[in-house]
C-alpha cells in the first residue's frame, strides 16, 4: 500500500493488519498438513499436496505469529529479492522470457507498529 492511502484510511489498514496477524497466529498453531487441508487444491496443483506440505513444514518458521519483522528482516528481504532479481535478469538475457512463478507477495514490513496493536 502507498503511504497516502495508509494515512487516509488508518481504520481500514488496521483491520487488514489485524487479519494478517490473526492469520499468522493461526499458521503458528496448525501443522503444515492442516494448513494444506484448508488451501484450494489449485494453490499447490503444480507441485502436489505432499510436496507443498513438505515445503511449508520446512519454511513455516519464517511466519512470525506476532506479525513483527525482526530487525535483520528488511536487509534479509532485500538480499533475497536481489538474488531473485539477478536470476530473472539472467533468464531474460538468455531470451527465455519471464518465468512463470506462483510466489506470494513479500511481507509488508512497514506495518510493524500496526501489527503490534493487532496482537
Amino acid at each position: 500500500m502507498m503511504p497516502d492511502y495508509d494515512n487516509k484510511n488508518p481504520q481500514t489498514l488496521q483491520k487488514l493488519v489485524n487479519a494478517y496477524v490473526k492469520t499468522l497466529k493461526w499458521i503458528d498453531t496448525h501443522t503444515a498438513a492442516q494448513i494444506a487441508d484448508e488451501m484450494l487444491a489449485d494453490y499447490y496443483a503444480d507441485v502436489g499436496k505432499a510436496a507443498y506440505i513438505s515445503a511449508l513444514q520446512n519454511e513455516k518458521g519464517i511466519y512470525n505469529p506476532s506479525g513483527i519483522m525482526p530487525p535483520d528482516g528488511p536487509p534479509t528481504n532485500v538480499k533475497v529479492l536481489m538474488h531473485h532479481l539477478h536470476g530473472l535478469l539472467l533468464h531474460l538475457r538468455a531470451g527465455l522470457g519471464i518465468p512463470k512463478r506462483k510466489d506470494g507477495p513479500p511481507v509488508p514490513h512497514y506495518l510493524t507498529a500496526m501489527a503490534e496493536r493487532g496482537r
Side-chain angles (χ1 to χ4, degrees):
M1 286 187 209
M2 302 303 292
D4 279 349
Y5 182 88
D6 298 353
N7 292 330
K8 292 177 183 174
N9 301 282
Q11 294 87 6
T12 300
L13 189 58
Q14 186 63 60
K15 288 177 184 179
L16 174 65
V17 172
N18 291 351
Y20 182 66
V21 172
K22 185 176 180 179
T23 301
L24 290 170
K25 288 179 181 179
W26 187 88
I27 289 170
D28 188 55
T29 59
H30 290 77
T31 67
Q34 290 170 321
I35 295 167
D37 286 342
E38 298 297 323
M39 303 296 292
L40 296 173
D42 289 348
Y43 190 80
Y44 49 77
D46 291 346
V47 297
K49 189 172 184 179
Y52 176 78
I53 290 170
S54 178
L56 180 57
Q57 187 60 41
N58 291 332
E59 299 292 328
K60 202 172 157 213
I62 67 171
Y63 298 102
N64 180 343
S66 73
I68 298 172
M69 185 177 284
D72 63 339
T76 301
N77 279 352
V78 168
K79 287 178 189 174
V80 169
L81 291 172
M82 292 304 293
H83 172 78
H84 288 293
L85 179 60
H86 178 72
L88 174 62
L89 290 174
L90 291 176
H91 198 84
L92 292 172
R93 284 185 186 153
L96 300 173
I98 297 175
K100 294 180 180 177
R101 296 183 56 122
K102 290 191 174 184
D103 291 345
V107 175
H109 62 275
Y110 61 89
L111 300 175
T112 299
M114 289 188 168
E116 285 182 351
R117 289 196 299 267
R119 286 185 189 188

